[in-house]
Amino acid sequence: MPYELPPLPYRYDALAPTIDELTMRVHHDKHHGSYVENLNAALDGTEWADRPIEELLGDLDRLPEEKRAAVRDNGGGHANHTLFWEAMAADGGTGPDGALARAIEATFDSVTELKRRLSAAAVARFGCGWVWVIHDGNGLAITSTANQDSPLMHGHTPLLGVDVWEHAYYLKYQNRRADYIEAWWNVIDWARFAARYEEVPA
Ligand code: MN
């Protein structure tokens, strides 16, 4: 069974005006679509083609050397974007509750401080990449990865990720990455973020 492009869990225009419909169409159908196509092309006919992508990214060294770069880039792209679509919603609430709320308070003091630090990391990421809230095995942390590298490559569980490649925001925000990140908080699915936190293996 080859990897498949998952449909968006909402309409292409659901996140407007924060993220416009054309950006969502190109980003999901073309960019994410290409990662899936390229990943399938790289692994077609190999014993690796049926593995969960999280498993491959968690141990790239097990792959034949000539497959590693393709899986790192395109498998990472597939996993990262799948998480990204799920992290957003048209009406995802205004903030965390439950165990996630307590963890954010314990780690960052406040949601405001979490937002400030993630936004700062997003602006600081040079070039293409992602900024994440992860569970690193001990608790919450903010990290950043280049290109399509996944926190899974470092043994971390990604809980929330924001795509800071220009293709994620350029049509509407041009060079204003900070404005995109600030607006992006409006479309976070806080319940999904909380659920992912609660699913982290103890
Ligand atoms: Mn992207």
Side-chain angles (χ1 to χ4, degrees):
M1 185 72 181
Y3 297 99
E4 292 181 357
L5 178 64
L8 276 184
Y10 34 71
R11 290 160 45 118
Y12 289 100
D13 63 357
L15 306 180
T18 299
I19 305 180
D20 59 284
E21 178 178 351
L22 181 58
T23 295
M24 290 298 288
R25 285 190 182 278
V26 175
H27 197 180
H28 175 271
D29 296 5
K30 306 299 183 188
H31 288 275
H32 190 175
S34 292
Y35 297 128
V36 173
E37 274 179 32
N38 294 337
L39 177 63
N40 284 330
L43 295 182
D44 183 42
T46 73
E47 62 181 296
W48 310 98
D50 292 328
R51 308 292 180 87
I53 192 59
E54 294 80 4
E55 185 187 320
L56 297 186
L57 291 169
D59 195 359
L60 284 172
D61 288 344
R62 290 168 65 214
L63 291 168
E65 195 174 354
E66 71 274 15
K67 299 294 185 188
R68 272 178 219 156
V71 173
R72 179 176 178 173
D73 291 344
N74 297 289
H78 178 37
N80 292 344
H81 286 85
T82 299
L83 197 144
F84 184 57
W85 312 131
E86 291 177 356
M88 301 184 288
D91 185 13
T94 55
D97 56 15
L100 176 64
R102 291 191 292 277
I104 288 173
E105 193 167 320
T107 308
F108 303 104
D109 290 326
S110 67
V111 174
T112 301
E113 182 63 10
L114 165 73
K115 289 181 176 179
R116 194 193 65 75
R117 287 179 51 183
L118 190 133
S119 296
V123 170
R125 162 53 58 190
F126 185 79
C128 296
W130 291 76
V131 180
W132 306 95
V133 180
I134 58 162
H135 193 290
D136 65 5
N138 294 308
L140 297 177
I142 289 172
T143 62
S144 166
T145 57
N147 302 314
Q148 293 297 350
D149 284 0
S150 163
L152 296 164
M153 290 165 48
H154 309 290
H156 298 150
T157 304
L159 303 177
L160 185 73
V162 57
D163 189 344
V164 299
W165 285 56
E166 284 187 342
H167 69 225
Y169 62 86
Y170 202 84
L171 291 180
K172 180 175 167 75
Y173 297 92
Q174 292 85 48
N175 61 316
R176 291 172 286 114
R177 185 188 285 180
D179 291 353
Y180 155 65
I181 300 298
E182 186 177 337
W184 180 72
W185 291 107
N186 297 328
V187 293
I188 297 300
D189 187 338
W190 286 99
R192 175 60 74 110
F193 183 9
R196 289 186 66 85
Y197 175 72
E198 288 173 24
E199 286 162 10
V200 174

